[in-house]
Amino acid sequence: METSELLQLAIAGLKNGSIYALLALGFTIVYAATNVINFAQGEFYMLGGMFAVLAFTQFELPLLVSVPLAVLVVAGIGMLFETLAIRPRKDAEPMALIIITVGGSLVFASLARHAFGSDALPLPEFTAGPSFLFAGAAIERQTVWIWGIVLVTVAGLTFLYSKTRLGRAMRACMQNREAARLMGIDTARVVMISFGLAAALGAVAGVAVTPLTSTRFDIGAGIAVKGFAAAILGGLGSPLAAVAGGLLLGLIEQAVIPFSSALKDVVALGVLLAVLFLRPQGLFRRARREKM
Amino acid sequence: MLEVDAFVAGYGRIPVLHGVSLKAGAGQMITLVGANGAGKSTLLKAIAGVLPARSGRVILEGEDVTSVPVHRRVGKGVVLVPEGRMLFGAMSVDENLTLGAYLRTGGEARREAEAERERVFELFPILARRRTQPAGTLSGGEQQMLAVGRALMSDPKVLLLDEPSLGLAPKVISEIFAVLDRLREGGLTMVLVEQDARLALKHADYGYVMRTGSVALEGSSADLLANDDVRLIYLGAWHGRE
């Protein structure tokens, strides 16, 4: 295989991986705050694309307004979901809450089907124009957008966690919720904000990728598996590890393609099982569990 | 300052406190002593709001705070130094202190909190030298100092201390209690739960002896230290006379 072909695969891997990274961040943030795996995470991705399409095509808003608007709306939905579905049962076993999120994901998908129909809905690229050429490989403009968005998101999250009062409260909750409460932190509010943030991250991923793939009511579950696999690969601990897990999963998928492109979608499940069997704490964490 | 009135509470269906009443005047240090399982820590948690009341009241400066949730009770000045310290182990000493001052926001309160931090470092100089170190890497004594310092950052009116001497060397214990004495001289109201009744009564003004979820005996520390039953049961008669 030629270098340019390899490069092309790597570019595709890093593009998909960036999307998985955003999903994995969502899983990680909710898990850190609640010990719950939120399987509705993929639906936020779907809804992000849907609301952007709605704002752009139905309400004819400019694309650069539609996109952030969709993210905000989905963040609100995430917080509403936590308030209505999770908080009333917050003292239940994590497993019961996980089942609630699975149910929530079905509800979101079927509501989306009623609201938006069952067709695939497109969105134009954020900036139109030909692909960039780099050492014989082509990079779509939208891919550059995706990378940029991931970089800005990670920088923003890093700032949030290390420099802000809210971020410090979130980290305190991750480490010891009872102690956080003794500091005067309203932990219920932190959990709600965590869901909102995770939903926003899912929506960002969904909006960024819709110009390339279009969106449909039933794409949430598939992407949730990939984001979950990436999050597990990263160890469900630190945000940076989640991003690394996402990028790695994207690259592994592309590495399989030359052998059999049909295998690509099995990779995430394979990685998921392999990590859970062989290294349940994730790739980047020492066996002793410590968060952040 | 603080009043607990006929407080009943428990875990699940099992009652632990059967109508406990106590009082701490402003600037007083009171102590709860008694055997393991007598309900001392439970009572302290109830005052902090960690454990809800079945009946009875907690009154702070004349205001009924019984139904105020933990995180808002902190804002009213009821601050717990929990058993086992509950530090944020992966965060630095400085960040732990900053979290203590979580509710002190806005220009003026912020500046006060920074002044408080300097005061904490003055009370526990070792913490100043460990500022950037993760709390989890501190020694047991340093961790207890940080737990007290972090609580002071919350600007307490009533400081609740749950077994601050637990697992510490005598030298460190006397260091920490010297600081508690200074805080009391500074006018801070404190409720101290201690396994070591002799130590507690030596530092406190007033003591409550708890037995199976109620107050069996109360009195000034001097009286309790002189009381024959207390000496025999809780201070260990074999320690001899003082």
Side-chain angles (χ1 to χ4, degrees):
Chain A
M1 190 157 45
E2 291 191 23
T3 325
S4 64
E5 284 176 64
L6 268 178
L7 194 60
Q8 195 69 59
L9 287 177
I11 288 165
L14 290 176
K15 178 192 72 185
N16 294 340
S18 298
I19 298 301
Y20 305 157
L22 290 173
L23 269 295
L25 278 171
F27 277 105
T28 303
I29 287 170
V30 166
Y31 181 78
T34 60
N35 279 342
V36 165
I37 302 292
N38 172 27
F39 279 106
Q41 185 62 33
E43 309 311 320
F44 299 138
Y45 168 93
M46 178 272 292
L47 289 173
M50 284 297 185
F51 280 109
V53 171
L54 181 73
F56 182 72
T57 56
Q58 296 296 117
F59 296 112
E60 298 180 4
L61 296 172
L63 192 57
L64 292 180
V65 174
S66 305
V67 167
L69 192 63
V71 172
L72 284 179
V73 168
V74 176
I77 292 176
M79 291 196 267
L80 201 64
F81 176 59
E82 191 277 332
T83 310
L84 297 180
I86 304 292
R87 190 176 307 176
R89 306 281 297 126
K90 68 177 168 23
D91 295 323
E93 294 285 305
M95 185 49 81
L97 296 174
I98 290 169
I99 303 289
I100 289 177
T101 71
V102 173
S105 123
L106 296 174
V107 170
F108 281 128
S110 92
L111 285 179
R113 178 177 202 161
H114 285 288
F116 304 108
S118 50
D119 294 333
L121 302 173
L123 198 66
E125 291 197 29
F126 292 0
T127 45
S131 299
F132 301 108
L133 286 175
F134 175 72
I139 308 176
E140 292 157 302
R141 278 165 187 259
Q142 192 64 23
T143 301
V144 178
W145 269 104
I146 290 173
W147 288 339
I149 285 171
V150 168
L151 279 179
V152 170
T153 306
V154 170
L157 278 179
T158 307
F159 178 79
L160 173 75
Y161 276 121
S162 59
K163 300 280 182 228
T164 70
R165 182 167 173 265
L166 173 64
R168 212 175 287 120
M170 291 174 81
R171 274 158 62 217
C173 286
M174 289 175 203
Q175 286 186 33
N176 188 331
R177 220 188 306 182
E178 192 182 341
R181 226 172 275 142
L182 291 174
M183 302 297 105
I185 294 169
D186 183 349
T187 51
R189 194 171 140 263
V190 169
V191 168
M192 185 183 79
I193 291 172
S194 301
F195 266 85
L197 186 59
L201 290 168
V204 164
V207 177
V209 91
T210 300
L212 298 175
T213 60
S214 68
T215 184
R216 218 173 63 185
F217 75 96
D218 60 353
I219 58 170
I223 200 75
V225 170
K226 307 226 172 158
F228 179 50
I232 292 288
L233 198 57
L236 278 173
S238 88
L240 279 180
V243 171
L247 295 177
L248 195 58
L249 179 63
L251 289 173
I252 297 172
E253 276 187 353
Q254 296 301 315
V256 171
I257 285 190
F259 305 102
S260 156
S261 59
L263 273 181
K264 178 180 165 252
D265 287 333
V266 186
V267 169
L269 286 170
V271 165
L272 187 55
L273 291 178
V275 174
L276 289 177
F277 272 122
L278 303 174
R279 211 180 148 75
Q281 74 271 30
L283 291 188
F284 311 108
R285 208 151 44 147
R286 277 165 290 157
R288 202 169 68 82
R289 293 178 68 89
E290 55 185 355
K291 290 175 184 171
M292 307 282 305
Chain B
M1 175 59 89
L2 176 77
E3 211 180 318
V4 175
D5 180 29
F7 202 90
V8 179
Y11 300 99
R13 296 182 58 186
I14 306 154
V16 178
L17 299 173
H18 314 278
V20 179
S21 299
L22 58 78
K23 256 187 204 162
Q28 241 191 351
M29 184 200 268
I30 64 167
T31 184
L32 315 176
V33 297
N36 252 334
K40 301 173 306 230
S41 288
T42 307
L43 180 53
L44 212 56
K45 281 185 190 158
I47 298 173
V50 177
L51 201 69
R54 297 253 180 89
S55 66
R57 296 185 304 165
V58 177
I59 295 156
L60 179 74
E61 291 185 309
E63 184 193 353
D64 188 339
V65 296
T66 317
S67 54
V68 176
V70 192
H71 63 272
R72 288 227 293 280
R73 225 177 272 198
V74 174
K76 292 190 178 293
V78 182
V79 180
L80 173 67
V81 179
E83 191 181 350
R85 300 155 200 147
M86 290 199 189
L87 296 173
F88 302 105
M91 293 192 207
S92 69
V93 166
D94 251 338
E95 273 190 300
N96 272 273
L97 293 176
T98 305
L99 275 163
Y102 180 76
L103 292 178
R104 297 169 91 167
T105 55
E108 187 56 30
R110 206 57 163 287
R111 271 190 295 281
E112 278 172 28
E114 284 320 303
E116 193 79 66
R117 188 192 304 267
E118 292 314 312
R119 224 185 110 223
V120 168
F121 286 149
E122 192 246 313
L123 289 169
F124 300 113
I126 185 76
L127 293 182
R129 293 201 288 281
R130 303 260 187 268
R131 284 184 87 134
T132 55
Q133 214 168 301
T137 65
L138 302 181
S139 74
E142 291 163 358
Q143 290 196 8
Q144 189 61 56
M145 292 174 192
L146 179 55
V148 173
R150 186 179 65 173
L152 291 176
M153 293 295 287
S154 308
D155 196 16
K157 285 180 185 154
V158 178
L159 186 64
L160 311 170
L161 296 140
D162 200 349
E163 305 265 8
S165 76
L166 200 69
L168 301 182
K171 185 171 167 293
V172 182
I173 294 175
S174 57
E175 243 177 276
I176 288 173
F177 273 80
V179 168
L180 297 184
D181 286 343
R182 277 182 70 183
L183 292 173
R184 191 184 49 170
E185 282 157 24
L188 183 61
T189 309
M190 283 180 274
V191 182
L192 169 69
V193 161
E194 255 302 334
Q195 195 76 239
D196 183 344
R198 181 183 302 271
L199 175 75
L201 290 170
K202 250 163 58 186
H203 290 268
D205 302 295
Y206 198 85
Y208 293 85
V209 178
M210 292 191 65
R211 194 182 300 151
T212 56
S214 10
V215 174
L217 191 65
E218 63 176 281
S220 73
S221 297
D223 288 350
L224 289 179
L225 279 169
N227 181 299
D228 283 341
D229 290 343
V230 174
R231 292 176 70 98
L232 189 67
I233 302 170
Y234 301 105
L235 304 181
W238 55 87
H239 280 291
R241 289 166 226 284
E242 290 196 2

